[in-house]
Amino acid sequence: MHRFANPGRFQRLATRVLPWLKGLTALSFLAGLYLALLASPPDYQQGETVRIMYVHVPAAWMALFAYLLLGLASASSLIWRHPLADIAAQALSPIGAAFTLVALATGSLWGKPMWGTYWVWDARLTSFLLLFFLYLGHMALLDAFDDRNRGRRSAAVLALVGLVNLPIIKFSVDWWNTLHQPASITRMDGPSIDPSMLWPLLTMAVAFHLFLLTALLERMRTLLMEARLRAQRQARFEAMQAEQG
Amino acid sequence: MMEETAFGAFLAMGGYAEFVWPAYGVTGLVLLAIWLDGYRRRRAVERALQRLARDGSGQDAQGRDTGRNDA
């Protein structure tokens, strides 16, 4: 019975918090945009292109964070068969793919003026492109089988195998010679970035986190309703067959 | 006049307008697209559930057949 009780409780909770989350997301995006475009100085080396960082870096963080969540959801789906974990995994891959696309596109637009090229096949960029294809593969596998459970299991296995890519992305800038700069925020000795640039970045990061959470809850709610719709149709279909037979 | 110049400078982004603005544009477009897609799906399933509760036709508001399990 708890299999149904939990999604029901989730549904009620999501319906209650989503309006607040949407408002908070919009407000933090406004604050982030103000800080990123108006209130922060240009970089002494990169000039105004540094403003690309305020969308590029949070998008890349969210692309990785969403994949980590996808891996956790896939593991819980395979091990405990929790229905909410399945739903979460299914909701996460399009959102993660969107963030990955944003990170790739903005990175490319930053690379052209700074490195002189939109794209290089170096370790960071290539492993990030692989992340995008992992998300697409996950979405494709979910839909690839007539048996929904088979699709879910295959997609979960792909998501778990793809977890290997996360440390590769994270440490690619240290392990290989890449054009991409190393981390400046998540360092052992503290962030090596000026506060005037750290604040817009952190505000944007909050906005991106809230967007991820809002989009995830909204999609999970929709997927639960779709499951209910399927169950109701099935029940109706069986009732009709019973009448005829 | 002064404001116009300041605004012009803001738009010019120190000569990097062609990179900075598309970066923000593509971010906004992709996030908007993912949000709109989620919103449309939620509306569609809400309408289908309402319709099923009303008459059980298994069709959405546009009259399209939406269910493989319908007779």
PDB file of all heavy atoms in Angstrom, chain A residues 37 48-49 51 94 109 211 218-219 222 226 228 232-234 236-237 240, chain B residues 10 13 16 19 23-24 31 34 37-38 41-42 49 52 56 66 69 71:
ATOM      1  N   LEU A  37      24.528  41.309 -15.274  1.00  0.00           N
ATOM      2  CA  LEU A  37      24.623  42.177 -16.452  1.00  0.00           C
ATOM      3  C   LEU A  37      24.874  43.639 -16.085  1.00  0.00           C
ATOM      4  O   LEU A  37      25.474  44.385 -16.858  1.00  0.00           O
ATOM      5  CB  LEU A  37      23.336  42.079 -17.274  1.00  0.00           C
ATOM      6  CG  LEU A  37      23.135  40.740 -18.000  1.00  0.00           C
ATOM      7  CD1 LEU A  37      21.759  40.674 -18.635  1.00  0.00           C
ATOM      8  CD2 LEU A  37      24.218  40.545 -19.064  1.00  0.00           C
ATOM      9  N   GLU A  48      34.080  42.072 -21.087  1.00  0.00           N
ATOM     10  CA  GLU A  48      32.664  41.804 -20.842  1.00  0.00           C
ATOM     11  C   GLU A  48      32.307  40.344 -21.077  1.00  0.00           C
ATOM     12  O   GLU A  48      31.233  39.906 -20.672  1.00  0.00           O
ATOM     13  CB  GLU A  48      31.787  42.689 -21.740  1.00  0.00           C
ATOM     14  CG  GLU A  48      32.081  44.188 -21.618  1.00  0.00           C
ATOM     15  CD  GLU A  48      31.466  44.806 -20.369  1.00  0.00           C
ATOM     16  OE1 GLU A  48      30.701  44.105 -19.685  1.00  0.00           O
ATOM     17  OE2 GLU A  48      31.785  45.983 -20.087  1.00  0.00           O
ATOM     18  N   THR A  49      33.179  39.576 -21.737  1.00  0.00           N
ATOM     19  CA  THR A  49      32.811  38.172 -21.995  1.00  0.00           C
ATOM     20  C   THR A  49      32.684  37.386 -20.700  1.00  0.00           C
ATOM     21  O   THR A  49      32.070  36.340 -20.686  1.00  0.00           O
ATOM     22  CB  THR A  49      33.855  37.445 -22.865  1.00  0.00           C
ATOM     23  OG1 THR A  49      35.096  37.438 -22.173  1.00  0.00           O
ATOM     24  CG2 THR A  49      33.995  38.070 -24.221  1.00  0.00           C
ATOM     25  N   ARG A  51      30.817  37.897 -18.457  1.00  0.00           N
ATOM     26  CA  ARG A  51      29.386  37.778 -18.102  1.00  0.00           C
ATOM     27  C   ARG A  51      28.787  36.461 -18.610  1.00  0.00           C
ATOM     28  O   ARG A  51      27.767  36.017 -18.096  1.00  0.00           O
ATOM     29  CB  ARG A  51      28.604  38.966 -18.669  1.00  0.00           C
ATOM     30  CG  ARG A  51      29.093  40.293 -18.120  1.00  0.00           C
ATOM     31  CD  ARG A  51      28.217  41.455 -18.493  1.00  0.00           C
ATOM     32  NE  ARG A  51      28.927  42.713 -18.269  1.00  0.00           N
ATOM     33  CZ  ARG A  51      29.133  43.241 -17.065  1.00  0.00           C
ATOM     34  NH1 ARG A  51      28.650  42.627 -16.000  1.00  0.00           N
ATOM     35  NH2 ARG A  51      29.797  44.361 -16.925  1.00  0.00           N
ATOM     36  N   PRO A  94      15.250  14.972 -19.526  1.00  0.00           N
ATOM     37  CA  PRO A  94      15.086  16.139 -20.410  1.00  0.00           C
ATOM     38  C   PRO A  94      15.599  17.433 -19.786  1.00  0.00           C
ATOM     39  O   PRO A  94      16.180  18.280 -20.482  1.00  0.00           O
ATOM     40  CB  PRO A  94      13.575  16.219 -20.656  1.00  0.00           C
ATOM     41  CG  PRO A  94      12.932  15.215 -19.802  1.00  0.00           C
ATOM     42  CD  PRO A  94      13.964  14.328 -19.204  1.00  0.00           C
ATOM     43  N   LEU A 109      30.149  29.901 -27.163  1.00  0.00           N
ATOM     44  CA  LEU A 109      30.121  31.349 -27.408  1.00  0.00           C
ATOM     45  C   LEU A 109      31.171  32.090 -26.591  1.00  0.00           C
ATOM     46  O   LEU A 109      31.554  33.215 -26.904  1.00  0.00           O
ATOM     47  CB  LEU A 109      28.732  31.906 -27.072  1.00  0.00           C
ATOM     48  CG  LEU A 109      27.647  31.591 -28.101  1.00  0.00           C
ATOM     49  CD1 LEU A 109      26.262  31.726 -27.489  1.00  0.00           C
ATOM     50  CD2 LEU A 109      27.785  32.519 -29.310  1.00  0.00           C
ATOM     51  N   PHE A 211      15.306  26.539 -10.450  1.00  0.00           N
ATOM     52  CA  PHE A 211      14.672  26.151 -11.718  1.00  0.00           C
ATOM     53  C   PHE A 211      14.674  24.628 -11.862  1.00  0.00           C
ATOM     54  O   PHE A 211      13.662  24.026 -12.233  1.00  0.00           O
ATOM     55  CB  PHE A 211      15.415  26.795 -12.897  1.00  0.00           C
ATOM     56  CG  PHE A 211      14.768  26.491 -14.228  1.00  0.00           C
ATOM     57  CD1 PHE A 211      13.841  27.362 -14.776  1.00  0.00           C
ATOM     58  CD2 PHE A 211      15.070  25.326 -14.922  1.00  0.00           C
ATOM     59  CE1 PHE A 211      13.225  27.078 -15.994  1.00  0.00           C
ATOM     60  CE2 PHE A 211      14.460  25.035 -16.130  1.00  0.00           C
ATOM     61  CZ  PHE A 211      13.539  25.915 -16.668  1.00  0.00           C
ATOM     62  N   GLU A 218       7.458  19.689 -11.161  1.00  0.00           N
ATOM     63  CA  GLU A 218       6.363  19.855 -12.118  1.00  0.00           C
ATOM     64  C   GLU A 218       6.254  18.626 -13.034  1.00  0.00           C
ATOM     65  O   GLU A 218       5.179  18.096 -13.283  1.00  0.00           O
ATOM     66  CB  GLU A 218       6.623  21.120 -12.948  1.00  0.00           C
ATOM     67  CG  GLU A 218       5.645  21.359 -14.060  1.00  0.00           C
ATOM     68  CD  GLU A 218       4.482  22.245 -13.638  1.00  0.00           C
ATOM     69  OE1 GLU A 218       4.735  23.397 -13.285  1.00  0.00           O
ATOM     70  OE2 GLU A 218       3.345  21.773 -13.675  1.00  0.00           O
ATOM     71  N   ARG A 219       7.398  18.162 -13.535  1.00  0.00           N
ATOM     72  CA  ARG A 219       7.396  17.003 -14.427  1.00  0.00           C
ATOM     73  C   ARG A 219       7.002  15.724 -13.692  1.00  0.00           C
ATOM     74  O   ARG A 219       6.302  14.880 -14.235  1.00  0.00           O
ATOM     75  CB  ARG A 219       8.775  16.821 -15.061  1.00  0.00           C
ATOM     76  CG  ARG A 219       8.860  17.481 -16.392  1.00  0.00           C
ATOM     77  CD  ARG A 219      10.240  17.525 -16.961  1.00  0.00           C
ATOM     78  NE  ARG A 219      10.186  18.522 -18.018  1.00  0.00           N
ATOM     79  CZ  ARG A 219       9.920  18.248 -19.277  1.00  0.00           C
ATOM     80  NH1 ARG A 219       9.739  17.019 -19.669  1.00  0.00           N
ATOM     81  NH2 ARG A 219       9.833  19.214 -20.164  1.00  0.00           N
ATOM     82  N   THR A 222       3.342  15.684 -13.341  1.00  0.00           N
ATOM     83  CA  THR A 222       2.713  15.344 -14.622  1.00  0.00           C
ATOM     84  C   THR A 222       2.810  13.846 -14.896  1.00  0.00           C
ATOM     85  O   THR A 222       1.832  13.216 -15.297  1.00  0.00           O
ATOM     86  CB  THR A 222       3.388  16.120 -15.761  1.00  0.00           C
ATOM     87  OG1 THR A 222       3.269  17.517 -15.489  1.00  0.00           O
ATOM     88  CG2 THR A 222       2.739  15.806 -17.088  1.00  0.00           C
ATOM     89  N   GLU A 226      -0.072  11.120 -15.516  1.00  0.00           N
ATOM     90  CA  GLU A 226      -0.129  10.273 -16.715  1.00  0.00           C
ATOM     91  C   GLU A 226      -0.283   8.803 -16.324  1.00  0.00           C
ATOM     92  O   GLU A 226      -1.001   8.053 -16.993  1.00  0.00           O
ATOM     93  CB  GLU A 226       1.116  10.485 -17.579  1.00  0.00           C
ATOM     94  CG  GLU A 226       1.074  11.799 -18.340  1.00  0.00           C
ATOM     95  CD  GLU A 226       2.352  12.091 -19.124  1.00  0.00           C
ATOM     96  OE1 GLU A 226       3.292  11.274 -19.076  1.00  0.00           O
ATOM     97  OE2 GLU A 226       2.400  13.139 -19.762  1.00  0.00           O
ATOM     98  N   ARG A 228      -1.756   7.756 -13.642  1.00  0.00           N
ATOM     99  CA  ARG A 228      -3.131   7.606 -13.178  1.00  0.00           C
ATOM    100  C   ARG A 228      -4.075   7.483 -14.374  1.00  0.00           C
ATOM    101  O   ARG A 228      -4.998   6.669 -14.388  1.00  0.00           O
ATOM    102  CB  ARG A 228      -3.525   8.801 -12.307  1.00  0.00           C
ATOM    103  CG  ARG A 228      -4.702   8.493 -11.402  1.00  0.00           C
ATOM    104  CD  ARG A 228      -4.857   9.548 -10.336  1.00  0.00           C
ATOM    105  NE  ARG A 228      -5.477  10.748 -10.857  1.00  0.00           N
ATOM    106  CZ  ARG A 228      -5.151  11.984 -10.488  1.00  0.00           C
ATOM    107  NH1 ARG A 228      -4.189  12.169  -9.634  1.00  0.00           N
ATOM    108  NH2 ARG A 228      -5.779  13.014 -10.991  1.00  0.00           N
ATOM    109  N   GLN A 232      -6.534   4.375 -15.173  1.00  0.00           N
ATOM    110  CA  GLN A 232      -7.984   4.539 -15.320  1.00  0.00           C
ATOM    111  C   GLN A 232      -8.463   4.001 -16.654  1.00  0.00           C
ATOM    112  O   GLN A 232      -9.513   3.389 -16.753  1.00  0.00           O
ATOM    113  CB  GLN A 232      -8.359   6.020 -15.176  1.00  0.00           C
ATOM    114  CG  GLN A 232      -8.258   6.498 -13.734  1.00  0.00           C
ATOM    115  CD  GLN A 232      -8.723   7.933 -13.574  1.00  0.00           C
ATOM    116  OE1 GLN A 232      -9.255   8.524 -14.514  1.00  0.00           O
ATOM    117  NE2 GLN A 232      -8.513   8.494 -12.383  1.00  0.00           N
ATOM    118  N   ARG A 233      -7.660   4.258 -17.713  1.00  0.00           N
ATOM    119  CA  ARG A 233      -8.041   3.751 -19.039  1.00  0.00           C
ATOM    120  C   ARG A 233      -8.041   2.238 -19.051  1.00  0.00           C
ATOM    121  O   ARG A 233      -8.916   1.602 -19.626  1.00  0.00           O
ATOM    122  CB  ARG A 233      -7.059   4.279 -20.089  1.00  0.00           C
ATOM    123  CG  ARG A 233      -7.274   5.743 -20.379  1.00  0.00           C
ATOM    124  CD  ARG A 233      -6.825   6.043 -21.782  1.00  0.00           C
ATOM    125  NE  ARG A 233      -7.232   7.400 -22.130  1.00  0.00           N
ATOM    126  CZ  ARG A 233      -6.379   8.360 -22.451  1.00  0.00           C
ATOM    127  NH1 ARG A 233      -5.103   8.115 -22.471  1.00  0.00           N
ATOM    128  NH2 ARG A 233      -6.828   9.556 -22.768  1.00  0.00           N
ATOM    129  N   GLN A 234      -7.005   1.664 -18.388  1.00  0.00           N
ATOM    130  CA  GLN A 234      -6.900   0.211 -18.331  1.00  0.00           C
ATOM    131  C   GLN A 234      -8.112  -0.372 -17.610  1.00  0.00           C
ATOM    132  O   GLN A 234      -8.720  -1.342 -18.079  1.00  0.00           O
ATOM    133  CB  GLN A 234      -5.599  -0.160 -17.605  1.00  0.00           C
ATOM    134  CG  GLN A 234      -5.314  -1.646 -17.528  1.00  0.00           C
ATOM    135  CD  GLN A 234      -4.996  -2.229 -18.899  1.00  0.00           C
ATOM    136  OE1 GLN A 234      -4.392  -1.561 -19.744  1.00  0.00           O
ATOM    137  NE2 GLN A 234      -5.447  -3.451 -19.149  1.00  0.00           N
ATOM    138  N   ARG A 236     -11.064   0.920 -17.282  1.00  0.00           N
ATOM    139  CA  ARG A 236     -12.246   1.092 -18.117  1.00  0.00           C
ATOM    140  C   ARG A 236     -12.284   0.052 -19.238  1.00  0.00           C
ATOM    141  O   ARG A 236     -13.326  -0.530 -19.558  1.00  0.00           O
ATOM    142  CB  ARG A 236     -12.223   2.499 -18.720  1.00  0.00           C
ATOM    143  CG  ARG A 236     -13.572   3.080 -19.000  1.00  0.00           C
ATOM    144  CD  ARG A 236     -13.416   4.517 -19.396  1.00  0.00           C
ATOM    145  NE  ARG A 236     -13.299   5.371 -18.230  1.00  0.00           N
ATOM    146  CZ  ARG A 236     -14.330   6.056 -17.738  1.00  0.00           C
ATOM    147  NH1 ARG A 236     -15.512   5.968 -18.317  1.00  0.00           N
ATOM    148  NH2 ARG A 236     -14.181   6.835 -16.703  1.00  0.00           N
ATOM    149  N   PHE A 237     -11.092  -0.162 -19.812  1.00  0.00           N
ATOM    150  CA  PHE A 237     -10.976  -1.133 -20.906  1.00  0.00           C
ATOM    151  C   PHE A 237     -11.362  -2.532 -20.424  1.00  0.00           C
ATOM    152  O   PHE A 237     -12.121  -3.247 -21.083  1.00  0.00           O
ATOM    153  CB  PHE A 237      -9.530  -1.105 -21.425  1.00  0.00           C
ATOM    154  CG  PHE A 237      -9.236  -2.113 -22.489  1.00  0.00           C
ATOM    155  CD1 PHE A 237      -9.867  -2.034 -23.723  1.00  0.00           C
ATOM    156  CD2 PHE A 237      -8.309  -3.131 -22.272  1.00  0.00           C
ATOM    157  CE1 PHE A 237      -9.589  -2.953 -24.711  1.00  0.00           C
ATOM    158  CE2 PHE A 237      -8.027  -4.053 -23.255  1.00  0.00           C
ATOM    159  CZ  PHE A 237      -8.671  -3.966 -24.475  1.00  0.00           C
ATOM    160  N   MET A 240     -15.034  -2.865 -19.885  1.00  0.00           N
ATOM    161  CA  MET A 240     -15.760  -3.012 -21.148  1.00  0.00           C
ATOM    162  C   MET A 240     -15.634  -4.426 -21.686  1.00  0.00           C
ATOM    163  O   MET A 240     -16.589  -4.996 -22.201  1.00  0.00           O
ATOM    164  CB  MET A 240     -15.223  -2.010 -22.178  1.00  0.00           C
ATOM    165  CG  MET A 240     -16.007  -0.718 -22.199  1.00  0.00           C
ATOM    166  SD  MET A 240     -15.106   0.612 -23.009  1.00  0.00           S
ATOM    167  CE  MET A 240     -14.957  -0.019 -24.643  1.00  0.00           C
TER     168      MET A 240
ATOM    169  N   PHE B  10      26.111  49.607 -22.957  1.00  0.00           N
ATOM    170  CA  PHE B  10      25.646  48.361 -22.329  1.00  0.00           C
ATOM    171  C   PHE B  10      25.368  47.314 -23.400  1.00  0.00           C
ATOM    172  O   PHE B  10      25.805  46.163 -23.302  1.00  0.00           O
ATOM    173  CB  PHE B  10      24.387  48.659 -21.510  1.00  0.00           C
ATOM    174  CG  PHE B  10      23.711  47.440 -20.959  1.00  0.00           C
ATOM    175  CD1 PHE B  10      24.344  46.642 -20.020  1.00  0.00           C
ATOM    176  CD2 PHE B  10      22.432  47.104 -21.370  1.00  0.00           C
ATOM    177  CE1 PHE B  10      23.718  45.519 -19.501  1.00  0.00           C
ATOM    178  CE2 PHE B  10      21.797  45.983 -20.850  1.00  0.00           C
ATOM    179  CZ  PHE B  10      22.444  45.191 -19.914  1.00  0.00           C
ATOM    180  N   MET B  13      28.518  45.770 -25.059  1.00  0.00           N
ATOM    181  CA  MET B  13      29.251  44.787 -24.252  1.00  0.00           C
ATOM    182  C   MET B  13      30.759  44.813 -24.553  1.00  0.00           C
ATOM    183  O   MET B  13      31.391  43.770 -24.696  1.00  0.00           O
ATOM    184  CB  MET B  13      28.702  43.378 -24.482  1.00  0.00           C
ATOM    185  CG  MET B  13      27.491  43.032 -23.650  1.00  0.00           C
ATOM    186  SD  MET B  13      27.907  42.895 -21.900  1.00  0.00           S
ATOM    187  CE  MET B  13      26.330  43.297 -21.139  1.00  0.00           C
ATOM    188  N   TYR B  16      31.909  42.783 -27.368  1.00  0.00           N
ATOM    189  CA  TYR B  16      31.631  41.347 -27.348  1.00  0.00           C
ATOM    190  C   TYR B  16      30.139  41.034 -27.415  1.00  0.00           C
ATOM    191  O   TYR B  16      29.708  39.944 -27.023  1.00  0.00           O
ATOM    192  CB  TYR B  16      32.224  40.708 -26.084  1.00  0.00           C
ATOM    193  CG  TYR B  16      33.734  40.695 -26.084  1.00  0.00           C
ATOM    194  CD1 TYR B  16      34.454  41.403 -25.126  1.00  0.00           C
ATOM    195  CD2 TYR B  16      34.439  39.969 -27.046  1.00  0.00           C
ATOM    196  CE1 TYR B  16      35.845  41.384 -25.121  1.00  0.00           C
ATOM    197  CE2 TYR B  16      35.821  39.942 -27.044  1.00  0.00           C
ATOM    198  CZ  TYR B  16      36.522  40.654 -26.075  1.00  0.00           C
ATOM    199  OH  TYR B  16      37.887  40.625 -26.071  1.00  0.00           O
ATOM    200  N   PHE B  19      28.754  37.776 -28.714  1.00  0.00           N
ATOM    201  CA  PHE B  19      28.920  36.543 -27.947  1.00  0.00           C
ATOM    202  C   PHE B  19      28.096  36.567 -26.656  1.00  0.00           C
ATOM    203  O   PHE B  19      27.521  35.561 -26.282  1.00  0.00           O
ATOM    204  CB  PHE B  19      30.400  36.320 -27.617  1.00  0.00           C
ATOM    205  CG  PHE B  19      31.270  36.302 -28.833  1.00  0.00           C
ATOM    206  CD1 PHE B  19      32.131  37.349 -29.109  1.00  0.00           C
ATOM    207  CD2 PHE B  19      31.205  35.245 -29.729  1.00  0.00           C
ATOM    208  CE1 PHE B  19      32.920  37.344 -30.246  1.00  0.00           C
ATOM    209  CE2 PHE B  19      31.974  35.225 -30.868  1.00  0.00           C
ATOM    210  CZ  PHE B  19      32.845  36.285 -31.130  1.00  0.00           C
ATOM    211  N   ALA B  23      24.620  34.202 -25.781  1.00  0.00           N
ATOM    212  CA  ALA B  23      24.765  33.278 -24.651  1.00  0.00           C
ATOM    213  C   ALA B  23      23.558  33.393 -23.719  1.00  0.00           C
ATOM    214  O   ALA B  23      22.982  32.390 -23.291  1.00  0.00           O
ATOM    215  CB  ALA B  23      26.060  33.563 -23.892  1.00  0.00           C
ATOM    216  N   TYR B  24      23.162  34.647 -23.401  1.00  0.00           N
ATOM    217  CA  TYR B  24      21.982  34.830 -22.546  1.00  0.00           C
ATOM    218  C   TYR B  24      20.715  34.441 -23.290  1.00  0.00           C
ATOM    219  O   TYR B  24      19.785  33.898 -22.701  1.00  0.00           O
ATOM    220  CB  TYR B  24      21.911  36.284 -22.032  1.00  0.00           C
ATOM    221  CG  TYR B  24      22.826  36.495 -20.850  1.00  0.00           C
ATOM    222  CD1 TYR B  24      24.192  36.686 -21.029  1.00  0.00           C
ATOM    223  CD2 TYR B  24      22.327  36.448 -19.549  1.00  0.00           C
ATOM    224  CE1 TYR B  24      25.039  36.840 -19.951  1.00  0.00           C
ATOM    225  CE2 TYR B  24      23.169  36.607 -18.452  1.00  0.00           C
ATOM    226  CZ  TYR B  24      24.519  36.801 -18.661  1.00  0.00           C
ATOM    227  OH  TYR B  24      25.354  36.924 -17.591  1.00  0.00           O
ATOM    228  N   LEU B  31      15.756  27.216 -21.491  1.00  0.00           N
ATOM    229  CA  LEU B  31      15.038  27.046 -20.227  1.00  0.00           C
ATOM    230  C   LEU B  31      13.544  27.284 -20.433  1.00  0.00           C
ATOM    231  O   LEU B  31      12.704  26.568 -19.878  1.00  0.00           O
ATOM    232  CB  LEU B  31      15.606  27.980 -19.150  1.00  0.00           C
ATOM    233  CG  LEU B  31      17.036  27.683 -18.695  1.00  0.00           C
ATOM    234  CD1 LEU B  31      17.412  28.502 -17.471  1.00  0.00           C
ATOM    235  CD2 LEU B  31      17.235  26.200 -18.411  1.00  0.00           C
ATOM    236  N   ILE B  34      12.051  24.144 -22.131  1.00  0.00           N
ATOM    237  CA  ILE B  34      11.862  22.978 -21.252  1.00  0.00           C
ATOM    238  C   ILE B  34      10.689  23.230 -20.303  1.00  0.00           C
ATOM    239  O   ILE B  34       9.907  22.338 -19.985  1.00  0.00           O
ATOM    240  CB  ILE B  34      13.177  22.635 -20.490  1.00  0.00           C
ATOM    241  CG1 ILE B  34      13.139  21.215 -19.951  1.00  0.00           C
ATOM    242  CG2 ILE B  34      13.458  23.560 -19.350  1.00  0.00           C
ATOM    243  CD1 ILE B  34      13.423  20.171 -20.970  1.00  0.00           C
ATOM    244  N   ASP B  37       7.379  22.972 -22.377  1.00  0.00           N
ATOM    245  CA  ASP B  37       7.106  21.576 -22.684  1.00  0.00           C
ATOM    246  C   ASP B  37       6.466  20.884 -21.479  1.00  0.00           C
ATOM    247  O   ASP B  37       5.457  20.182 -21.617  1.00  0.00           O
ATOM    248  CB  ASP B  37       8.420  20.881 -23.077  1.00  0.00           C
ATOM    249  CG  ASP B  37       8.231  19.384 -23.262  1.00  0.00           C
ATOM    250  OD1 ASP B  37       7.462  19.011 -24.157  1.00  0.00           O
ATOM    251  OD2 ASP B  37       8.828  18.603 -22.495  1.00  0.00           O
ATOM    252  N   GLY B  38       7.029  21.127 -20.294  1.00  0.00           N
ATOM    253  CA  GLY B  38       6.464  20.543 -19.082  1.00  0.00           C
ATOM    254  C   GLY B  38       5.061  21.061 -18.821  1.00  0.00           C
ATOM    255  O   GLY B  38       4.159  20.306 -18.463  1.00  0.00           O
ATOM    256  N   ARG B  41       2.529  19.499 -21.291  1.00  0.00           N
ATOM    257  CA  ARG B  41       2.232  18.108 -20.958  1.00  0.00           C
ATOM    258  C   ARG B  41       1.295  18.012 -19.762  1.00  0.00           C
ATOM    259  O   ARG B  41       0.395  17.186 -19.722  1.00  0.00           O
ATOM    260  CB  ARG B  41       3.533  17.357 -20.645  1.00  0.00           C
ATOM    261  CG  ARG B  41       4.126  16.720 -21.875  1.00  0.00           C
ATOM    262  CD  ARG B  41       5.341  15.934 -21.511  1.00  0.00           C
ATOM    263  NE  ARG B  41       5.011  14.633 -20.954  1.00  0.00           N
ATOM    264  CZ  ARG B  41       5.876  13.645 -20.877  1.00  0.00           C
ATOM    265  NH1 ARG B  41       7.104  13.815 -21.320  1.00  0.00           N
ATOM    266  NH2 ARG B  41       5.535  12.491 -20.354  1.00  0.00           N
ATOM    267  N   ARG B  42       1.528  18.890 -18.770  1.00  0.00           N
ATOM    268  CA  ARG B  42       0.675  18.847 -17.581  1.00  0.00           C
ATOM    269  C   ARG B  42      -0.752  19.236 -17.958  1.00  0.00           C
ATOM    270  O   ARG B  42      -1.712  18.579 -17.556  1.00  0.00           O
ATOM    271  CB  ARG B  42       1.216  19.786 -16.502  1.00  0.00           C
ATOM    272  CG  ARG B  42       0.322  19.803 -15.262  1.00  0.00           C
ATOM    273  CD  ARG B  42       0.990  20.488 -14.086  1.00  0.00           C
ATOM    274  NE  ARG B  42       1.217  21.905 -14.313  1.00  0.00           N
ATOM    275  CZ  ARG B  42       0.267  22.837 -14.192  1.00  0.00           C
ATOM    276  NH1 ARG B  42      -0.959  22.490 -13.871  1.00  0.00           N
ATOM    277  NH2 ARG B  42       0.548  24.101 -14.399  1.00  0.00           N
ATOM    278  N   LEU B  49      -7.617  13.688 -18.068  1.00  0.00           N
ATOM    279  CA  LEU B  49      -8.200  13.114 -16.845  1.00  0.00           C
ATOM    280  C   LEU B  49      -9.604  13.648 -16.607  1.00  0.00           C
ATOM    281  O   LEU B  49     -10.522  12.895 -16.265  1.00  0.00           O
ATOM    282  CB  LEU B  49      -7.297  13.430 -15.644  1.00  0.00           C
ATOM    283  CG  LEU B  49      -6.104  12.504 -15.414  1.00  0.00           C
ATOM    284  CD1 LEU B  49      -5.188  13.082 -14.339  1.00  0.00           C
ATOM    285  CD2 LEU B  49      -6.572  11.111 -14.997  1.00  0.00           C
ATOM    286  N   LEU B  52     -11.937  12.046 -19.130  1.00  0.00           N
ATOM    287  CA  LEU B  52     -12.198  10.646 -18.799  1.00  0.00           C
ATOM    288  C   LEU B  52     -13.195  10.565 -17.647  1.00  0.00           C
ATOM    289  O   LEU B  52     -14.097   9.723 -17.646  1.00  0.00           O
ATOM    290  CB  LEU B  52     -10.885   9.960 -18.409  1.00  0.00           C
ATOM    291  CG  LEU B  52     -10.911   8.443 -18.381  1.00  0.00           C
ATOM    292  CD1 LEU B  52     -11.005   7.897 -19.783  1.00  0.00           C
ATOM    293  CD2 LEU B  52      -9.664   7.907 -17.695  1.00  0.00           C
ATOM    294  N   GLY B  56     -15.444   9.443 -20.323  1.00  0.00           N
ATOM    295  CA  GLY B  56     -14.689   8.229 -20.618  1.00  0.00           C
ATOM    296  C   GLY B  56     -14.414   7.999 -22.086  1.00  0.00           C
ATOM    297  O   GLY B  56     -14.237   6.872 -22.533  1.00  0.00           O
ATOM    298  N   THR B  66      -6.134   9.508 -27.549  1.00  0.00           N
ATOM    299  CA  THR B  66      -4.909   9.602 -26.763  1.00  0.00           C
ATOM    300  C   THR B  66      -4.527   8.293 -26.105  1.00  0.00           C
ATOM    301  O   THR B  66      -3.473   8.207 -25.518  1.00  0.00           O
ATOM    302  CB  THR B  66      -5.058  10.655 -25.656  1.00  0.00           C
ATOM    303  OG1 THR B  66      -6.260  10.359 -24.943  1.00  0.00           O
ATOM    304  CG2 THR B  66      -5.118  12.050 -26.216  1.00  0.00           C
ATOM    305  N   ASN B  69      -5.259   1.998 -25.005  1.00  0.00           N
ATOM    306  CA  ASN B  69      -6.074   0.978 -24.370  1.00  0.00           C
ATOM    307  C   ASN B  69      -7.567   1.168 -24.619  1.00  0.00           C
ATOM    308  O   ASN B  69      -8.380   0.434 -24.109  1.00  0.00           O
ATOM    309  CB  ASN B  69      -5.831   0.970 -22.867  1.00  0.00           C
ATOM    310  CG  ASN B  69      -4.477   0.370 -22.570  1.00  0.00           C
ATOM    311  OD1 ASN B  69      -3.997  -0.478 -23.325  1.00  0.00           O
ATOM    312  ND2 ASN B  69      -3.849   0.820 -21.514  1.00  0.00           N
ATOM    313  N   ALA B  71     -11.062   1.082 -26.558  1.00  0.00           N
ATOM    314  CA  ALA B  71     -11.641   0.170 -27.537  1.00  0.00           C
ATOM    315  C   ALA B  71     -12.009   0.925 -28.811  1.00  0.00           C
ATOM    316  O   ALA B  71     -12.207   2.109 -28.788  1.00  0.00           O
ATOM    317  CB  ALA B  71     -12.891  -0.472 -26.961  1.00  0.00           C
TER     318      ALA B  71
END
